[in-house]
Amino acid sequence: MRRRILVLATGGTIAGRQAAHGGYQAGQMAGQALLAQAGLENSGLHVEVEDIACVGSQDMSLAIWHRLAARILAAAAQGEVDGVVVAHGTDTLEETAFFLSRVLRLPFHVVLTGAMRPADAADADGPVNLRHAVLLAAEPAAGDGQVMVVFGGEIHAAQWVRKIAASSLRAFASPDAGPLGVVIGKDICWTPGMSAPHARCYALPVDAGSWPKVGILYAYAGMDCAQVQASLDLGWDGWVLAGMGNGNAPQACLAALADAARQGTVVVRSRRCLTGWVTRAAEVDDDAMGFVAAGLYDALQARTLLMLAMAETRERSVIQAHFL
Ligand code: SIN
């Protein structure tokens, strides 16, 4: 039987068109038009397309995440497909990949991809990226139930993948681990000894409007505590610090965050560095200040993880266990 792949389109530069005045606009084409350019006619696969959204991924929202995850879960429940591809803008692709990896446990895998050049550019990279994504999603040997990203011929695990370049065609990498493999023509070649990590799976929150509100504070030399205080005054449920080095910030800012933690806000210390662990109570006394250390999760991942964790519990020690 032909393997059945469902492509879910969400917009992005892969669906972008060049503008008359120069530049381009993301999210201008439906999924069917993208598939028509991907050169999959003789692949022997049964490929169907649906449009979940048509946005530049700077406008990716919790509501679209919810729709996307719910559609994939429904396809799994009905046994409709053998693999799913998500065509996505590159700007927030790593966030969506990480989110999906935490709310899906599936008998098939999900592969995200996008493009750095609009679909009608002479050097458009969307068609080959989409072709690779469909081939990978149809590959029985790829780890079932994993969420992966394929881009520029490289395969990355949702846990490790980062957008590392604002304009290069090789825009994604896995700086903490390296790629899972590469796609060469029709061949999927796995890096020996590399596999996507299995992680805790969360229930998909009932509706996007009910998710805990969590923001990110980016630390920098001379950071003014007034900015931190103004953010805390919003009364949100949690904050992630994209801290210097091992999750640090100026003393006054840490004091303001500790004060908020004492009043019930959950504060997670993560990093602004590209790689590495934020360890508990190394430079900052997490026990005294009431903070959670993010471990290997960068600030974007920590924000998503904190939202999902806080939908289950507000107990700080339990939330800490979700991170380490
Ligand atoms: C977007 O993220 O939607 C725009 C940029 C891109 O896809 O490369």
Side-chain angles (χ1 to χ4, degrees):
M1 197 168 109
R2 291 201 299 166
R3 289 181 75 75
R4 304 153 303 167
I5 306 302
L6 176 62
V7 176
L8 299 175
T10 66
T13 295
I14 192 170
R17 278 211 176 95
Q18 297 176 99
H21 55 80
Y24 75 96
Q25 277 193 302
Q28 299 296 302
M29 292 163 64
Q32 200 64 52
L34 306 186
L35 186 63
Q37 296 184 333
L40 285 159
E41 300 76 18
N42 301 317
S43 65
L45 301 168
H46 178 81
V47 186
E48 293 202 349
V49 193
E50 286 176 27
D51 294 297
I52 294 289
C54 201
V55 296
S57 77
Q58 66 278 5
D59 288 321
M60 189 50 57
S61 62
L62 300 186
I64 300 175
W65 275 3
H66 195 276
R67 232 166 33 238
L68 190 56
R71 179 64 188 100
I72 297 170
L73 287 168
Q78 286 153 28
E80 279 176 48
V81 297
D82 301 302
V84 169
V85 167
V86 178
H88 197 290
T90 63
D91 288 352
T92 59
L93 187 148
E94 74 207 73
E95 293 176 68
T96 300
F98 182 77
F99 163 71
L100 291 176
S101 76
R102 294 312 162 113
V103 297
L104 302 176
R105 275 295 166 272
L106 301 171
F108 52 77
H109 31 276
V110 175
V111 183
L112 288 87
T113 197
M116 292 300 286
R117 306 285 183 263
D120 57 351
D123 56 349
D125 51 332
V128 67
N129 285 344
L130 186 57
R131 182 162 68 252
H132 286 169
V134 170
L135 295 175
L136 180 59
E139 168 70 29
D144 270 350
Q146 298 293 339
V147 178
M148 293 176 273
V149 170
V150 70
F151 209 95
E154 288 186 341
I155 304 166
H156 299 279
Q159 166 78 41
W160 307 122
V161 71
R162 304 285 182 276
K163 185 170 183 183
I164 53 149
S167 50
S168 163
L169 293 179
R170 294 195 60 196
F172 288 85
S174 296
D176 264 308
L180 293 176
V182 291
V183 187
I184 304 172
K186 288 182 180 157
D187 296 328
I188 314 281
C189 307
W190 299 102
T191 311
M194 273 294 295
S195 60
H198 280 279
R200 177 194 289 262
C201 189
Y202 294 85
L204 184 63
V206 186
D207 75 273
S210 68
W211 293 18
K213 199 98 170 113
V214 177
I216 296 175
L217 285 162
Y218 194 96
Y220 51 90
M223 186 181 200
D224 191 331
C225 186
Q227 182 201 348
V228 176
Q229 198 52 59
S231 300
L232 294 171
D233 288 346
L234 293 169
W236 291 3
D237 303 290
W239 284 95
V240 172
L241 174 67
M244 303 134 166
N246 194 336
N248 222 330
Q251 288 304 323
C253 300
L254 288 180
L257 288 167
D259 214 35
R262 266 189 294 279
Q263 291 168 49
T265 306
V266 178
V267 178
V268 174
R269 283 191 313 107
S270 180
R271 57 177 153 85
R272 63 177 205 181
C273 293
L274 186 58
T275 67
W277 287 78
V278 169
T279 49
R280 222 184 134 68
E283 271 187 284
V284 177
D285 189 342
D286 292 305
D287 294 327
M289 298 187 120
F291 297 153
V292 170
L296 256 184
Y297 299 100
D298 74 10
L300 295 173
Q301 294 178 329
R303 172 178 174 266
T304 300
L305 201 54
L306 184 55
M307 284 193 295
L308 292 170
M310 288 188 81
E312 283 184 8
T313 179
R314 301 273 159 145
E315 180 53 54
R316 200 163 296 145
S317 61
V318 179
I319 292 173
Q320 178 66 81
H322 289 222
F323 280 85
L324 294 182

